[in-house]
Amino acid sequence: ALGADWKYVVPVKDKLGSDAIAVAVIYNSKRVMPVAEPVVYDDATNLNRVTFLQSFKPVAGGKLFTVIPNHLKSKGSCPTDATSLDADQGDGQGCWNDLRTKSVAKLMQWVAKAQVSLTQKSNVLLLGDMNSYAKEDPILAFEKSNYKILLNDEKIGQGQSAYSYVFGVASNSEGYGGAGNLDHAIADENLYPMVKRTFAWHINADEPTALDYNDEFKSEEQKQLFFNADAFRSSDHDPVIVDLDLNEV
């Protein structure tokens, strides 16, 4: 349990098969307070998770910032039409890359419109599983629109050594596998100067699959031996940590 100081914002239910799966924002109410109501964005694809924006302001004073959690369509469950642009094009980006790229463009358009309704600079931070590695089309689309990909940033991120996910143990001859980051923290131009540091907390991706949170194929004895009340292997992705100084000019 996180304790009474921790609150959450989850204004929408997931549309992809389970009310238990949805993007959310958990925040420490001693550190930040919500500003206005969350604004929901549904791209109507029924493939990406429905998202929202929520603005916050530091309790101790400082600039407002706005968080947008994301989970774009995964590379799996490929379309049945092999001629579709969302089929695997053999370029290493997997299935649904066209959808993810177009979804990013629509998301940025929505963010731009939503910012108009906010009373002050919104200082946007997009977070989540984009299901796209750092050099894939959806992430490049953010960069072309002057958003900053923080984990891969050479100054305040981890540059070329960044990773938050491990698929297999090494890349094969077609480029599949190995380590990279599907998980991203992406700042707009206003927020970027306030970012002091960004890094992946390696509690999951490097841990063996046998120790993961799934209990399939585990005996009752293994469940007792493998599961501990700690952070390790609580997911297959590593969290991305972003340090902000909201008093920066």
Side-chain angles (χ1 to χ4, degrees):
L2 292 172
D5 295 330
W6 291 89
K7 312 292 184 184
Y8 64 88
V9 182
V10 53
V12 291
K13 291 184 177 181
D14 180 66
K15 296 168 58 180
L16 304 183
S18 171
D19 287 348
I21 302 173
V23 298
V25 174
I26 301 172
Y27 65 96
N28 187 333
S29 60
K30 282 189 172 181
R31 301 293 298 276
V32 296
M33 64 180 76
V35 177
E37 293 297 314
V39 182
V40 174
Y41 171 61
D42 183 352
D43 68 4
T45 63
N46 293 325
L47 293 170
N48 303 307
R49 304 291 178 189
V50 177
T51 188
F52 62 94
L53 66 76
Q54 176 65 64
S55 295
F56 293 92
K57 195 164 188 177
V59 171
K63 293 181 175 63
L64 173 147
F65 69 106
T66 299
V67 176
I68 304 174
N70 295 270
H71 191 172
L72 298 185
K73 178 71 179 76
S74 72
K75 297 173 182 288
S77 303
C78 298
T80 56
D81 181 4
T83 65
S84 169
L85 291 175
D86 282 315
D88 191 337
Q89 303 297 306
D91 58 2
Q93 301 189 81
C95 295
W96 304 105
N97 182 61
D98 188 63
L99 169 76
R100 289 189 294 273
T101 305
K102 290 176 179 175
S103 298
V104 165
K106 292 178 181 178
L107 177 62
M108 289 188 291
Q109 291 172 3
W110 174 75
V111 171
K113 291 179 181 178
Q115 285 177 308
V116 174
S117 64
L118 297 172
T119 57
Q120 51 188 303
K121 282 187 179 179
S122 48
N123 301 319
V124 171
L125 180 64
L126 296 111
L127 298 169
D129 181 1
M130 302 294 184
N131 273 303
S132 306
Y133 291 108
K135 297 302 180 183
E136 293 186 4
D137 295 333
I139 307 305
L140 295 179
F142 278 116
E143 290 187 321
K144 289 176 182 177
S145 295
N146 294 320
Y147 282 80
K148 306 297 182 181
I149 314 303
L150 301 179
L151 189 58
N152 300 97
D153 192 279
E154 294 290 345
K155 291 194 303 181
I156 49 86
Q158 295 180 301
Q160 295 184 13
S161 65
Y163 73 96
S164 67
Y165 183 72
V166 175
F167 182 72
V169 294
S171 298
N172 62 18
S173 59
E174 297 177 329
Y176 294 94
N181 53 304
L182 298 171
D183 312 282
H184 295 276
I186 301 173
D188 71 359
E189 288 184 293
N190 295 325
L191 184 67
Y192 180 70
M194 304 177 207
V195 180
K196 313 315 292 181
R197 184 173 65 139
T198 304
F199 61 96
W201 184 23
H202 294 306
I203 57 173
N204 294 316
D206 294 328
E207 298 294 307
T209 304
L211 302 181
D212 72 10
Y213 49 92
N214 293 307
D215 58 10
E216 300 94 322
F217 312 114
K218 291 184 176 77
S219 67
E220 290 304 316
E221 182 181 15
Q222 288 172 326
K223 293 176 188 177
Q224 293 297 319
L225 291 172
F226 290 174
F227 297 154
N228 292 318
D230 57 30
F232 295 98
R233 210 51 168 91
S234 54
S235 174
D236 51 346
H237 295 245
D238 290 326
V240 177
I241 311 296
V242 181
D243 290 338
L244 300 174
D245 185 346
L246 294 166
N247 291 310
E248 285 285 306
V249 177

